[in-house]
Amino acid sequence: MTRDPSMTSHPRYKIIPDQDELGQVERDLRFHPATTTDPATLSREQIDQFNREGYLKGIRIFDDEEMAGHRRYFDELLERVLAAGGDSYSISTAHMKYGPVWDLLTHPRIVACMKDLLGENVVGWGSHYFCKMPRDGKAVPWHQDASYWPLSPSKTATLWLAIDDADRENACMRFIAGSHRLGHLTYRLTEDADHSVLNQVVDEVEQFGQPLDVELAAGEISIHADLLLHGSEGNQSDRRRCGLTLRYCAADVRAGLDWNQKGVVVAGRDEDGHWGNPGRPPDG
């Protein structure tokens, strides 16, 4: 059986780096607020909310027809991955393997939002489908994205595009508003692979605030800072819940462990050529 390339990550930039490797990367893990004073797409109120609460949600990017087209593409891709032995969380670094995902990472409507938050020079470096199948049961524990990434300074944000409607019933994401301003929090490692998608968890998050459900209609996005505490419950419903995470950073961010090779310059310039800036892969 031929193994689908999306089922593996390149050893130079694994989805979850080894703790020892990550510990060798010097990182500035402080929140760096958006400084845009004249945003072109987002409102000033949205910029202020992102800085204060660490997230935005419910921004419509694609209409129903556009989203239906991409959902059909994902359905076919997921079928191939499952047939090749992968699972619904296997499709990562997808912009380097699949042209339609590269198109989403570089889409003008999406990039416009990220420019307002990260500045004129923006790199898109990550793409990962988080697809919870019906009755999946696996949770995404409370975590901060920055804990996993060999990137510095912490000027990175995740855009979550709803492929399916996401609500409390099918385990939408949850945020702790304002937690990004607490800095890098202590976490513990967990090996509960049967019930958890990731291997880190921040305990007792209620001390940092009340969890907020991030309900989105298909075609809408949320955006959250890389230090914002977030997670999701297991999907106990009969409905699928899929979202595509697209990761962006300011072009002056530096990546260790060769992660710079997967960064696409989506706006402005990369002044010193740090990022690999790969081109669009074939449709697949």
Side-chain angles (χ1 to χ4, degrees), residues 78-90:
L78 179 61
E79 184 177 356
R80 285 188 276 131
V81 170
L82 295 178
D87 62 35
S88 63
Y89 301 102
S90 296

Side-chain angles (χ1 to χ4, degrees), residues 19 188-196 198-201:
Q19 291 296 303
R188 64 178 173 85
L189 298 178
T190 175
E191 300 300 331
D192 187 12
D194 290 338
H195 300 97
S196 180
L198 300 177
N199 70 342
Q200 293 181 8
V201 58

Side-chain angles (χ1 to χ4, degrees), residues 232-245:
S232 61
E233 302 293 335
N235 181 10
Q236 305 297 341
S237 79
D238 294 323
R239 297 159 46 224
R240 189 183 74 181
R241 191 231 69 177
C242 180
L244 173 64
T245 60

Side-chain angles (χ1 to χ4, degrees), residues 181-258:
R181 292 183 279 109
L182 300 174
H184 193 216
L185 299 171
T186 300
Y187 61 84
R188 64 178 173 85
L189 298 178
T190 175
E191 300 300 331
D192 187 12
D194 290 338
H195 300 97
S196 180
V197 178
L198 300 177
N199 70 342
Q200 293 181 8
V201 58
V202 176
D203 292 317
E204 300 178 355
V205 298
E206 291 77 8
Q207 65 182 302
F208 304 119
Q210 184 68 30
L212 166 76
D213 293 311
V214 187
E215 297 189 310
L216 298 172
E220 292 182 339
I221 63 169
S222 64
I223 305 171
H224 63 268
D226 59 359
L227 286 165
L228 186 76
L229 276 169
H230 62 290
S232 61
E233 302 293 335
N235 181 10
Q236 305 297 341
S237 79
D238 294 323
R239 297 159 46 224
R240 189 183 74 181
R241 191 231 69 177
C242 180
L244 173 64
T245 60
L246 300 171
R247 322 280 196 180
Y248 298 88
C249 66
D252 62 338
V253 170
R254 290 296 169 264
L257 307 181
D258 285 334

